[in-house]
Amino acid sequence: MGSSHYLALSAILFALGLFGIATRRNLITVLMSIELVLNSVNLNLVAFSFERSDLTGQVFAVFTIAVAAGEAAVGLGLLLALYRLRSTTELDRARELEG
Amino acid sequence: MSFLVAHGSALLFYLFAGLVLAGAVGVVTLRNPMYGALSLLGAFLGVAALFLLRHAEFVGLVQIFVYGGGVMVLFLFVIMLVNLHRLQESRMFASTAPLAAVVGALLVGLIVWALAQAPRAVPTVAASTSLRSIAGATAGNSEAVAWVLFKDYLVPFEIASVFLLVAMIGAVVLGRKG
């Protein structure tokens, strides 16, 4: 399998994640779509790492996973704060930051 | 049988790519976030299998542990903490969804077309750190990744650990009652 297959799959995954971020109204689903986008980036990094026989891409994928874990923790904390304030997770109902 | 031997790698790629795409479509389209999270787990495991097919064993296992274990448990906890019965969302998508779908499909089509136009054989560069060997000696993938990570990227590694600590404290502060 050539790396172009991986890049095409990564492009489709990225577009699906971006579609979810831009159009879904539930904050939980938006956070999960962000994880999809980060996974598509990791697919690209690992595919190029294999293509070029260079491990730097894999190391960067590890960094991306660490950043994604931190993002998920902070994002879900924000979601809990929003739910406590508004009793909803819909983004349309979070129009102002002050409670 | 010989067909399986000859095309086994391609068959596995298409199998796991299908799993990843089905999981991603499920995340974006399913109404219940619980089903969306389980669908996301399928996508994560498919991506991990694709990493293994590209000889990135360490990253594949980190993907399973961190994403399939840690992040997924975090998502499921929070979905259970918020009361889904009270959500009752009337519309799933924003009104711009059809336009976004068209633009996204055009973008993917453009990228795939560009990939198809690209030259077949990319000349491989002689990299300083090979996938399999360090200084001539054969090494496992984890050992090779650790070599690069702790030799060339030690400072970013430490910054990442501080970042995770800050994120953890931030999550605790945000999630605290009060």
Side-chain angles (χ1 to χ4, degrees):
Chain A
M1 296 309 296
S3 286
S4 57
H5 288 77
Y6 278 79
L7 300 189
L9 173 67
S10 166
I12 299 172
L13 197 59
F14 183 86
L16 275 170
L18 206 56
F19 179 76
I21 294 170
T23 62
R24 282 299 296 252
R25 295 169 68 243
N26 192 340
L27 182 53
I28 301 174
T29 311
V30 170
L31 286 172
M32 293 197 286
S33 301
I34 294 174
E35 301 293 331
L36 285 182
V37 168
L38 291 167
N39 263 283
S40 83
V41 172
N42 278 348
L43 266 180
N44 261 358
L45 285 171
V46 169
F48 277 119
S49 164
F50 184 80
E51 184 82 34
R52 300 176 65 88
S53 307
D54 192 336
L55 281 170
T56 309
Q58 294 186 25
V59 172
F60 271 54
V62 173
F63 284 142
T64 310
I65 291 174
V67 170
E71 175 264 325
V74 174
L76 290 170
L78 284 171
L79 191 152
L80 276 183
L82 173 72
Y83 181 75
R84 213 167 274 139
L85 205 61
R86 294 262 187 276
S87 295
T88 183
T89 58
E90 284 190 37
L91 286 168
D92 289 359
R93 309 232 343 237
R95 291 182 181 278
E96 54 191 33
L97 290 175
E98 193 176 338
Chain B
M1 194 63 199
S2 60
F3 176 82
L4 277 181
V5 173
H7 300 281
S9 171
L11 280 176
L12 283 175
F13 173 82
Y14 285 119
L15 178 70
F16 291 120
L19 177 65
V20 170
L21 288 183
V25 169
V27 170
V28 177
T29 57
L30 287 176
R31 181 174 287 270
N32 190 337
M34 184 63 89
Y35 297 149
L38 294 177
S39 174
L40 184 66
L41 179 61
F44 284 163
L45 294 180
V47 170
L50 289 175
F51 287 166
L52 295 182
L53 284 180
R54 289 278 97 162
H55 293 292
E57 288 90 359
F58 178 71
V59 184
L61 283 178
V62 167
Q63 167 93 4
I64 291 176
F65 290 151
V66 176
Y67 269 127
V71 173
M72 191 47 59
V73 166
L74 211 56
F75 269 108
L76 290 178
F77 258 132
V78 170
I79 291 171
M80 289 173 183
L81 277 176
V82 302
N83 191 351
L84 286 176
H85 294 295
R86 285 175 58 189
L87 296 185
Q88 297 291 336
E89 47 181 348
S90 49
R91 294 181 301 131
M92 279 169 63
F93 293 102
S95 54
T96 53
L99 181 66
V102 170
V103 172
L106 283 176
L107 179 70
V108 170
L110 183 70
I111 292 173
V112 171
W113 177 79
L115 286 172
Q117 297 293 313
R120 277 297 119 203
V122 178
T124 51
V125 290
S128 55
T129 45
S130 157
L131 270 182
R132 285 276 163 194
S133 65
I134 304 162
T138 308
N141 178 258
S142 302
E143 193 180 345
V145 171
W147 196 262
V148 179
L149 185 61
F150 295 125
K151 194 161 80 53
D152 298 339
Y153 295 97
L154 183 61
V155 175
F157 177 80
E158 295 295 341
I159 292 173
S161 62
V162 173
F163 164 79
L164 281 176
L165 180 68
V166 171
M168 187 180 74
I169 294 171
V172 169
V173 170
L174 283 170
R176 198 185 43 180
K177 274 202 174 71

